[in-house]
Amino acid sequence: MATLADKLKSNPYEADLIPPLEAYVKEQVESGTYDFAANKSLLKLYGFYPEKRNDHVTALVLTKALMNLPSTDMVLCLHLIPDEVRAKEPIRDLVRYSEYLDTAKFVEFWEIANLGGNELLDSVPGFDEAIRKYIVTVLSITYQKLEAETFMDLLAVSSEHLEAYVSQWPEAMVLEGKFVVFVANTQNQPRPRKFKENISFEGMLPVIDLLTSP
């Protein structure tokens, strides 16, 4: 029996592929797995057969793409979704989430995401931890250290959970007093400035002659 992947290779534009691809998206949500290629194929099929589009499944695809930051999956998915669909809720909210995360507005992101009161995001296991992982990645290549209070705000982590959370990332950071200190890497250290000598001595001779002439 041909697998879903085989069917996509042999006839990627077949409308009959939409139901199994939608079921596969839901399976990814439940199992915590991710298949960007299959999800992208589904969005393409929605473009060919707009009457078969399922906005809820589309939102799930975008949510899974958001969880895979800093990859460009979210941007690629959005290019496959028409403006009129992007204007609908909750897809419009997902676009806002993406913009806030891309511009490092992490505190504002947690405020509008409203986890615990967000029907879509709360239905996707591991969403909050995937976003925190992305934020830690951004912070670790940007800063050498941060005040613990600032760190907690950026990651929406409470003070009672701070030490336990930081200890999960020994390769990236440690808690030292009131600061979260990030492990040195090629991105968060000062880079020596390199100067290149572009002017030859021969090229300076006319200037020297002018300055030394009576």
Side-chain angles (χ1 to χ4, degrees):
M1 181 178 177
T3 65
L4 182 56
D6 292 334
K7 293 178 180 179
L8 282 170
K9 288 181 181 178
S10 62
N11 194 354
Y13 307 113
E14 177 59 56
D16 289 344
L17 288 171
I18 291 177
L21 282 170
E22 290 176 336
Y24 186 36
V25 170
K26 295 174 182 177
E27 179 185 324
Q28 292 173 56
V29 170
E30 295 171 358
S31 63
T33 55
Y34 183 56
D35 190 334
F36 172 65
N39 297 348
K40 183 174 68 172
S41 295
L42 176 60
L43 295 181
K44 287 182 177 179
L45 285 169
Y46 281 157
F48 289 120
Y49 307 99
E51 73 281 0
K52 295 183 179 294
R53 181 184 300 277
N54 184 312
D55 290 342
H56 177 67
V57 174
T58 299
L60 290 176
V61 168
L62 292 178
T63 301
K64 293 294 287 185
L66 203 58
M67 293 169 67
N68 203 42
L69 285 170
S71 78
T72 58
D73 293 0
M74 183 70 171
V75 174
L76 295 174
C77 286
L78 288 174
H79 279 303
L80 296 172
I81 299 175
D83 289 342
E84 62 270 19
V85 178
R86 292 172 59 169
K88 298 179 181 179
E89 298 293 359
I91 296 172
R92 182 171 62 181
D93 283 339
L94 287 162
V95 174
R96 289 182 66 205
Y97 304 154
S98 177
E99 292 172 349
Y100 276 42
L101 291 170
D102 283 342
T103 54
K105 295 180 179 179
F106 302 135
V107 175
E108 294 86 347
F109 161 76
W110 293 113
E111 290 175 352
I112 64 171
N114 187 32
L115 297 187
N118 188 313
E119 183 177 356
L120 172 66
L121 301 184
D122 293 342
S123 70
V124 181
F127 176 83
D128 55 341
E129 285 311 307
I131 299 303
R132 288 191 178 97
K133 180 179 179 181
Y134 164 67
I135 294 174
V136 167
T137 300
V138 173
L139 297 180
S140 69
I141 64 175
T142 306
Y143 299 101
Q144 295 180 352
K145 66 178 182 179
L146 273 177
E147 290 187 0
E149 288 285 344
T150 301
F151 180 87
M152 288 187 289
D153 289 340
L154 293 172
L155 274 87
V157 173
S158 62
S159 57
E160 57 265 31
H161 294 123
L162 174 63
E163 186 174 355
Y165 185 81
V166 172
S167 67
Q168 298 175 25
W169 298 83
E171 75 285 358
M173 57 189 174
V174 294
L175 185 62
E176 294 184 1
K178 295 183 178 181
F179 291 91
V180 174
V181 179
F182 297 99
V183 174
N185 58 64
T186 57
Q187 300 295 316
N188 68 7
Q189 297 298 304
R191 299 182 183 180
R193 297 183 64 182
K194 296 181 180 179
F195 295 90
K196 184 178 180 181
E197 194 71 50
N198 291 318
I199 303 176
S200 65
F201 179 72
E202 289 78 10
M204 288 294 296
L205 284 176
V207 178
I208 295 174
D209 290 339
L210 179 64
L211 294 175
T212 58
S213 61

